[in-house]
Amino acid sequence: MKFWEYLLKIDRRIVFLLVGLSVLIPLIFPFRIKTNVMPYTQKLFDVIEEIDPEAQGILISADYDPQTMPELHPMFIALLRHAFARKIPVLVMTSYIQGPGLAKQGLDQVTKEFNSQAMTNADSLIYGRDYVFLGFPPLWLAAVLRMGSDISQAFPADYYKNRTASLEMMKKIKNYNDIGIIVSIAGSAIPQSWVVYANTRFGVKVGSGATAVTAPDFYPFLQTGQMSGMIAGLKGASEYEYLVHTKYNLTGPTPATKGMSSQSIAHLTILILVVIGNIGYFATRRTRES
Amino acid sequence: MQRTIPLMIVLIIGIAMLIQFFIPHKISKEIYMNFLDWLGIIASFALVLGLGSLINHHIDKIQRKREHWQYSWVTLISILIVAIIGLFGGMEGKGPLPVQPQIMIGNKLIVIKYSIQTIYDNIITPLGGTMFALLAFFMSSAAYRAFRARTFEATLLLIAAFIVMVGVVPIGYYISPKLPHLAQWIMDVPNTASKRGILFGVGLGVAATSLKIMLGIERNWLGGGK
């Protein structure tokens, strides 16, 4: 009987150790695992594929902070690669005070990747011509509403203190009419606010990148079409990496894909622990009842 | 008077904003844009007030030696250091005082950029990541202890959690190619139905509360107890 009781009360330090090892070992010795693309990831990818780079740009809002960075930053990188590979003008902003640092890191990394392979000036990614980093607006909601009529008014200066209206790209992209899709990458309900204030009011398409925990909140919006697609969790990020890298033959690092072996084993470990707990529970139930 | 004027402002502005939403006229849009400017100005005051209030709270805590008062020093010193670096170093070390201390470690010369980005990359990012990573351990321990098939409802929850947890990771496909689709169905149908119900409730609640504030029935936002 003691064995069954032990199954019910495994020391939490052992649980922590098992989970730690199930994350760490596959990270050190990763194994290849087939990527099965889910419909909402594919949908977002397809919407971005349909954007005409001559007519419209894409706005990526990095609405996350370092806490959710491991899950969300790979999405940001994959989206940037997708947009740059298609030569779509990219606008980046953030609604989190801690967001600009991460957005800048991501932009620097991806532009470096593309520029290292560029052969001509036209192939290169040039700030102000191909992408603009708007930074963080102190009053996010007012900025979102104002961008509907004039982006340069909502952000008179960009992150680097340039006059936004003077940038070459901004002469083409004035307001939401010139944006093919807004993708909000967040670990909170921010994408929902983008739907309410940008999609409902101005009709611009909105997509989201969400942590696995917050993703279920957005399903009602995906079903109604108010949200045009979603990358959900690290798995979603790995799917997007797969789609972009396969289609455009890109070679940059794919942290989400690498994390999949760890995540798979960690999930299985937790499930095995839950099964063990339940076996112990049923084996000792009669004793407890008597 | 102290209460009547703010209540009147809220009532008039609230109704004006409500009406302008349905009138896509140039004047209406102009008024709306002006209100957005005001919003920015008010928010700037709120920022100063918030910072003042935070500093006062921690100074008071230290003076009265309340529980965990030592941590208040950490907050105050952090505010001071970040403010100095922000004001004189700027976001990327291009401020009016671009000092760049240099340290030799072995043969390597390390230049410390006097900027907010340095603090961000070296302190905020690792600390934030560590805090969130700890969640994985606590969640797994909690799942092991709490996920017991005690009742019919708990069993249903357990089965759904099982399918979703395995279905959303790539290994689920190897267990059964149908598992990811089953997980997707759970997210698409039962999950969305419940979420939609909650959203309707929240939406109606927000509308009711907004109306109560505009009509002066709900006055908690005015502060000052009764």
Side-chain angles (χ1 to χ4, degrees):
Chain A
M1 189 53 77
K2 266 194 171 170
F3 172 72
W4 301 117
E5 275 171 12
Y6 175 75
L7 291 186
L8 265 176
K9 294 169 190 165
I10 298 174
D11 193 292
R12 64 182 172 152
R13 280 165 294 191
I14 294 173
V15 175
F16 291 167
L17 184 72
L18 287 172
V19 173
L21 288 175
S22 65
V23 172
L24 201 66
I25 294 170
L27 266 185
I28 301 167
F29 307 106
F31 51 89
R32 283 182 73 94
I33 201 158
K34 191 182 169 247
T35 309
N36 176 35
V37 180
M38 299 308 279
Y40 292 125
T41 316
Q42 184 70 54
K43 229 174 149 187
L44 185 64
F45 181 83
D46 292 342
V47 171
I48 296 175
E49 278 292 292
E50 283 162 16
I51 294 173
D52 174 11
E54 295 300 318
Q56 285 187 312
I58 178 172
L59 171 66
I60 307 176
S61 191
D63 303 326
Y64 58 97
D65 54 19
Q67 297 192 10
T68 47
M69 178 190 178
E71 218 172 342
L72 300 175
H73 203 54
M75 296 178 194
F76 181 63
I77 302 283
L79 281 163
L80 282 178
R81 283 182 184 144
H82 189 191
F84 287 143
R86 289 211 59 228
K87 292 269 171 205
I88 300 173
V90 176
L91 273 171
V92 173
M93 64 171 281
T94 169
S95 64
Y96 266 43
I97 188 71
Q98 291 189 34
L102 291 176
K104 192 183 170 296
Q105 271 179 28
L107 271 171
D108 288 348
Q109 182 196 321
V110 179
T111 48
K112 216 180 202 173
E113 275 172 28
F114 276 75
N115 284 339
S116 68
Q117 291 177 351
M119 308 294 276
T120 60
N121 180 277
D123 285 347
S124 309
L125 293 173
I126 296 170
Y127 187 80
R129 186 192 74 180
D130 302 301
Y131 66 101
V132 169
F133 182 25
L134 296 168
F136 164 76
L139 202 64
W140 174 78
L141 182 57
V144 168
L145 292 168
R146 202 173 261 279
M147 281 164 82
S149 47
D150 193 346
I151 295 172
S152 302
Q153 249 187 36
F155 291 89
D158 69 358
Y159 180 75
Y160 303 103
K161 307 277 178 282
N162 303 305
R163 251 191 71 230
T164 312
S166 69
L167 298 168
E168 191 187 330
M169 197 181 100
M170 298 312 290
K171 293 190 168 76
K172 220 166 62 176
I173 298 175
K174 299 274 184 204
N175 53 35
Y176 289 144
N177 292 334
D178 308 314
I179 301 281
I181 188 168
I182 297 167
V183 186
S184 167
I185 306 172
S188 62
I190 291 268
Q192 203 172 311
S193 302
W194 277 105
V195 168
V196 173
Y197 297 107
N199 173 272
T200 312
R201 183 142 194 178
F202 300 98
V204 61
K205 283 181 185 166
V206 171
S208 72
T211 53
V213 177
T214 54
D217 292 348
F218 306 131
Y219 277 81
F221 301 102
L222 287 160
Q223 281 189 358
T224 54
Q226 287 166 295
M227 227 177 234
S228 303
M230 175 172 73
I231 309 175
L234 196 67
K235 163 82 170 18
S238 79
E239 292 166 9
Y240 211 87
E241 279 176 352
Y242 169 77
L243 288 169
V244 175
H245 283 245
T246 313
K247 171 129 196 195
Y248 295 99
N249 260 333
L250 300 178
T251 50
T254 51
T257 309
K258 274 186 190 151
M260 275 304 98
S261 36
S262 257
Q263 201 179 44
S264 294
I265 299 299
H267 276 216
L268 280 182
T269 309
I270 294 168
L271 288 179
I272 291 166
L273 282 167
V274 173
V275 171
I276 290 172
N278 276 284
I279 291 171
Y281 173 73
F282 282 108
T284 56
R285 194 164 64 167
R286 194 165 290 173
T287 324
R288 274 199 314 276
E289 280 171 359
S290 65
Chain B
M1 201 64 165
Q2 260 185 329
R3 282 171 169 265
T4 314
I5 292 176
L7 282 170
M8 288 299 286
I9 293 172
V10 167
L11 179 69
I12 294 164
I13 308 279
I15 292 171
M17 286 292 96
L18 206 66
I19 293 170
Q20 76 79 32
F21 189 85
F22 299 99
I23 307 171
H25 190 267
K26 203 180 163 190
I27 297 170
S28 158
K29 277 186 180 170
E30 200 62 42
I31 294 170
Y32 170 66
M33 286 296 169
N34 270 318
F35 275 117
L36 288 184
D37 284 341
W38 287 10
L39 207 63
I41 294 163
I42 294 165
S44 312
F45 279 107
L47 192 73
V48 176
L49 275 175
L51 185 66
S53 165
L54 183 78
I55 292 171
N56 271 343
H57 169 78
H58 285 285
I59 288 175
D60 183 63
K61 207 169 164 183
I62 292 167
Q63 279 173 347
R64 292 170 197 263
K65 295 223 181 320
R66 287 201 191 124
E67 201 185 358
H68 304 312
W69 61 274
Q70 298 90 336
Y71 298 117
S72 293
W73 276 116
V74 178
T75 309
L76 291 176
I77 292 168
S78 302
I79 291 174
L80 191 71
I81 292 172
V82 175
I84 290 170
I85 293 174
L87 285 170
F88 299 108
M91 278 305 288
E92 292 185 46
K94 291 172 188 164
L97 197 66
V99 184
Q100 296 192 348
Q102 299 177 348
I103 307 168
M104 279 291 280
I105 298 176
N107 292 331
K108 222 176 174 184
L109 180 74
I110 294 173
V111 181
I112 301 170
K113 242 185 171 181
Y114 185 68
S115 68
I116 291 282
Q117 190 70 35
T118 307
I119 297 176
Y120 186 83
D121 291 342
N122 298 289
I123 297 175
I124 296 175
T125 305
L127 281 180
T130 308
M131 285 298 290
F132 207 69
L134 287 175
L135 255 184
F137 295 97
F138 293 124
M139 273 168 73
S140 50
S141 174
Y144 160 67
R145 268 163 237 291
F147 268 157
R148 298 276 151 81
R150 288 193 176 96
T151 57
F152 175 70
E153 290 86 351
T155 313
L156 266 185
L157 187 71
L158 190 65
I159 294 167
F162 247 79
I163 295 168
V164 173
M165 272 187 79
V166 183
V168 297
V169 286
I171 217 160
Y173 183 80
Y174 291 97
I175 296 169
S176 163
K178 286 182 181 165
L179 215 48
H181 297 287
L182 194 56
Q184 189 67 43
W185 180 84
I186 290 173
M187 301 300 278
D188 272 336
V189 182
N191 162 66
T192 306
S194 59
K195 287 281 172 197
R196 194 166 280 144
I198 293 167
L199 277 173
F200 276 127
V202 170
L204 288 172
V206 168
T209 310
S210 305
L211 263 177
K212 276 166 79 178
I213 290 172
M214 275 163 62
L215 298 173
I217 300 164
E218 170 68 55
R219 296 181 181 195
N220 278 345
W221 60 274
L222 280 166
K226 289 181 181 178

